[in-house]
Amino acid sequence: MNGEVASQTEVERRDRVSELELLFSISQILVRSLDVKDTIQPVLNAVADGLQMVRGAITLLDRDTGEIITEAAYGITEEQRQRGMYQLGEGITGKVVETGEPMVIPSVRANPAFLDRTGARRGSEAEDVSFICVPIRIGSETLGAFSLDRTRADQEALQDDVRLLSIICSMIAQAVKTRQSAMEERRRLMAENSRLQQELEERFRPANIVGNSSSMQAVFDMIAQVSRSEATVLIRGESGTGKELVAHAIHFNSKRAHRPFVKVNCAALPETVIESELFGHEKGAFTGAISSRKGRFEVASGGTIFLDEIGDLSPATQVKLLRVLQEKEFERVGGNQTIRTNVRIIAATNKDLEKLIEAGSFREDLYYRLDVFPIHVPPLRERKSDILLLADHFVEKYSQENHVTIRRISTPAIDLLTNYHWPGNVRELENCIERAVLLSTDEVIHSHHLPPSLQSAESTDTSLHSSLNEALKNLERDLILDALKSTRGNMARAARLLGITERIMGLRVQKHDIDPRNFR
């Protein structure tokens, strides 16, 4: 008798261990992904392995349509799974979802309420099985149901299965609720993003400039204010910040948009030809002037002329430019006919014009004529939030140009891009991304595709391996050794080379255990 009790206790213990192993396995599956669609089928498969399940299905309630849809199935075909759709109160599954109470049918064949909507039990498969359906619920809310066919069993075994399935369903319910909450939050965020996007679109933003940072929004606002006017604009900012793009935006959003936009780089043209380039020349005005030629101001008539690097203009050219700004007229080189001009001037510089005025290399009156409406373009280091936007823009641009596919930028590469100080600004970023696009072989931009100047100690595994004191000690020893080598072991001369006294030299030699005789 005692042996039978002990044997029964051992069986119960093994059953509990198996249940715990199954529950642990399901918990591991559910934490793999936040998307319940990725985990619900593996959960069903795990239950099939742990219980005597012939067929099974997990159905979820779609609150928008009121339909109960089979999300995952075991032991039936895909076509049968798709037929597994119910309304609230319809069939056993519909009643369980509607009432939130489990139902057990000891014999499917003997129960007329069983719909067999999937058709999996018809014909040769119409074996007599037991059917269990347990609600997936959290609190008072029913989210779906877990149903299964199992080999026929007595009432006690079926109730044990209901108990175990109820635990599993509560675990599934937590995952489903998390997903629903995430979906609701996503819909809320999408609605909020749509609203914000609409607000941004209502504000002026040039199509040719990428950036959402507050500093760039200020630039966009200033472009919008000045574009419709005829005011002279002075664009200031470091090299590579996009001053020419701002000039483009001003012109193409102005009343002169249908007229020419002429660019002149004042730093790229030699002083001997800059005047001819700007104002033109007459035939024979200088050696090589075999015919008359219009200057950029004449070509830009009715439109806009963009004078880049205005701070590099020579004093003589500055005088003539000042006259154009004041009188709207000029003469060609070698000519005496006054030409009237109707041109809007936009100038740009990366130099400190105030310092140039103090040094006498830039005219103060010209500065005030140009500085009617100043716009400062911020450096990239002051608009960190725009770095990834610009990087994505350049990835798309150079992927198309080079007929390659880049799907993403790796996280380490993003860290390098956002942590770098970008002395070359947007132009440097563009060059880095173009290089990375060409180097990528797996449709991903990795950190090693970026130039060495962007690399960090962590990305190259070159972090410091010694303290500051150790580094200074090593440097001091190297300097003493070099001095002794240069003086062939003469400590007095070595001390003079190092700018220290002979006494300190002797102490340092002793400290580092150096024998000067080795250098004689």
Side-chain angles (χ1 to χ4, degrees):
M1 184 70 177
N2 290 336
E4 291 179 2
V5 172
S7 176
Q8 183 177 0
T9 302
E10 178 63 22
V11 170
E12 291 175 353
R13 189 189 70 80
R14 285 199 301 269
D15 289 343
R16 290 194 186 96
V17 169
S18 297
E19 287 183 6
L20 289 173
E21 289 177 345
L22 175 60
L23 293 174
F24 178 75
S25 174
I26 291 172
S27 68
Q28 292 294 102
I29 293 170
L30 290 173
V31 298
R32 288 178 192 168
S33 172
L34 291 176
D35 192 346
V36 72
K37 287 189 175 182
D38 295 336
T39 57
I40 202 165
Q41 186 65 51
V43 166
L44 188 58
N45 294 340
V47 174
D49 293 338
L51 298 178
Q52 298 179 22
M53 188 168 80
V54 179
R55 279 172 294 272
I58 295 177
T59 54
L60 296 177
L61 174 63
D62 187 335
R63 297 204 172 276
D64 293 332
T65 64
E67 291 183 327
I68 304 168
I69 302 170
T70 302
E71 289 286 347
Y74 175 85
I76 64 176
T77 65
E78 177 62 22
E79 182 183 355
Q80 291 169 341
R81 185 191 72 80
Q82 292 179 1
R83 289 201 296 263
M85 297 178 64
Y86 307 88
Q87 298 293 328
L88 285 172
E90 185 180 26
I92 303 299
T93 300
K95 289 177 182 177
V96 168
V97 176
E98 184 179 47
T99 62
E101 297 295 331
M103 292 186 70
V104 178
I105 301 176
S107 173
V108 168
R109 188 180 293 171
N111 194 302
F114 194 78
L115 292 180
D116 191 18
R117 178 63 55 81
T118 63
R121 304 167 187 83
R122 296 172 188 164
S124 60
E125 294 193 7
E127 72 271 25
D128 196 9
V129 294
S130 298
F131 180 75
I132 302 172
C133 189
V134 177
I136 299 172
R137 58 185 297 173
I138 184 166
S140 60
E141 182 181 6
T142 303
L143 307 174
F146 193 143
S147 59
L148 62 83
D149 292 356
R150 60 153 295 165
T151 54
R152 281 202 64 179
D154 57 30
Q155 195 66 28
E156 184 179 355
L158 292 175
Q159 289 304 317
D160 283 342
D161 286 352
V162 170
R163 175 183 55 79
L164 180 59
L165 280 178
S166 297
I167 298 172
I168 294 170
C169 284
S170 67
M171 296 168 70
I172 296 173
Q174 290 288 345
V176 173
K177 191 65 178 176
T178 300
R179 178 200 173 195
Q180 288 182 345
S181 299
M183 292 291 288
E184 290 174 2
E185 180 65 12
R186 183 182 178 187
R187 283 194 291 266
R188 186 189 70 78
L189 289 174
M190 288 178 66
E192 180 68 10
N193 286 340
S194 178
R195 183 185 66 79
L196 292 173
Q197 184 65 32
Q198 186 175 358
E199 288 183 4
L200 285 173
E201 288 175 355
E202 289 174 356
R203 297 183 63 183
F204 177 84
R205 175 178 171 178
N208 63 329
I209 304 177
V210 177
N212 282 332
S213 61
S214 58
S215 57
M216 286 307 296
Q217 289 296 337
V219 173
F220 298 154
D221 290 343
M222 298 187 79
I223 293 173
Q225 291 172 14
V226 78
S227 291
R228 297 297 177 182
S229 73
E230 293 293 319
T232 301
V233 180
L234 178 61
I235 306 170
R236 308 186 69 166
E238 295 178 9
S239 179
T241 52
K243 297 186 291 295
E244 185 176 325
L245 293 180
V246 174
H248 267 279
I250 293 172
H251 171 73
F252 289 107
N253 287 280
S254 72
K255 298 175 182 178
R256 298 174 179 264
H258 62 287
R259 304 297 295 171
F261 178 75
V262 177
K263 297 176 286 185
V264 182
N265 190 322
C266 301
L269 296 172
E271 186 178 346
T272 54
V273 301
I274 184 66
E275 188 176 342
S276 173
E277 284 292 326
L278 290 176
F279 308 115
H281 62 259
E282 297 291 353
K283 180 179 178 180
F286 50 83
T287 304
I290 57 175
S291 62
S292 297
R293 180 178 180 272
K294 288 183 178 182
R296 304 291 181 91
F297 272 95
E298 286 185 76
V299 174
S301 180
T304 304
I305 187 167
F306 174 54
L307 303 176
D308 199 7
E309 305 301 345
I310 193 73
D312 291 298
L313 279 180
S314 66
T317 309
Q318 291 179 35
V319 173
K320 293 198 173 186
L321 180 59
L322 178 61
R323 182 187 174 196
V324 174
L325 284 166
Q326 289 177 331
E327 309 296 336
K328 305 294 183 183
E329 61 184 28
F330 62 91
E331 287 89 27
R332 292 178 183 173
V333 177
N336 53 19
Q337 180 182 355
T338 300
I339 301 173
R340 297 289 298 177
T341 182
N342 176 23
V343 175
R344 181 182 192 174
I345 296 177
I346 300 177
T349 183
N350 62 357
K351 294 188 175 182
D352 189 335
L353 295 182
E354 289 80 4
K355 287 186 177 180
L356 293 180
I357 292 170
E358 290 178 6
S361 58
F362 198 84
R363 293 182 64 94
E364 187 174 9
D365 47 2
L366 176 59
Y367 168 75
Y368 288 120
R369 282 288 181 179
L370 292 171
D371 199 37
V372 175
F373 195 96
I375 296 178
H376 174 72
V377 183
L380 190 54
R381 63 181 173 275
E382 294 180 7
R383 40 185 293 218
K384 290 281 190 177
S385 59
D386 291 336
I387 290 175
L388 291 184
L389 284 175
L390 288 162
D392 289 340
H393 170 75
F394 293 134
V395 164
E396 183 177 355
K397 174 183 175 180
Y398 289 108
S399 296
Q400 293 176 355
E401 284 188 8
N402 295 284
H403 307 289
V404 297
T405 301
I406 300 295
R407 298 188 181 276
R408 65 184 180 91
I409 304 175
S410 70
T411 301
I414 290 174
D415 292 340
L416 291 181
L417 291 172
T418 53
N419 291 330
Y420 186 54
H421 59 287
W422 298 109
N425 294 296
V426 179
R427 186 181 294 119
E428 183 182 8
L429 173 61
E430 181 176 5
N431 293 338
C432 289
I433 296 299
E434 182 179 10
R435 175 183 187 270
V437 167
L438 295 174
L439 290 174
S440 177
T441 57
D442 59 354
E443 301 184 348
V444 179
I445 290 180
H446 296 283
S447 59
H448 60 268
H449 294 145
L450 299 175
S453 57
L454 269 72
Q455 302 297 332
S456 64
E458 292 74 19
S459 67
T460 55
D461 193 24
T462 55
S463 55
L464 294 174
H465 299 291
S466 63
S467 66
L468 178 61
N469 286 334
E470 290 174 345
L472 291 173
K473 181 180 177 181
N474 292 333
L475 176 60
E476 182 182 61
R477 189 175 190 278
D478 289 343
L479 290 173
I480 292 172
L481 289 172
D482 284 342
L484 289 171
K485 285 178 184 178
S486 299
T487 60
R488 297 183 180 273
N490 188 318
M491 290 182 58
R493 289 176 58 197
R496 287 195 295 273
L497 280 177
L498 294 172
I500 59 177
T501 65
E502 292 183 37
R503 178 178 174 276
I504 292 176
M505 182 69 178
L507 292 173
R508 293 292 186 268
V509 165
Q510 185 179 1
K511 172 185 174 182
H512 295 293
D513 194 23
I514 299 172
D515 188 353
R517 292 175 295 180
N518 294 333
F519 301 94
R520 292 173 183 172

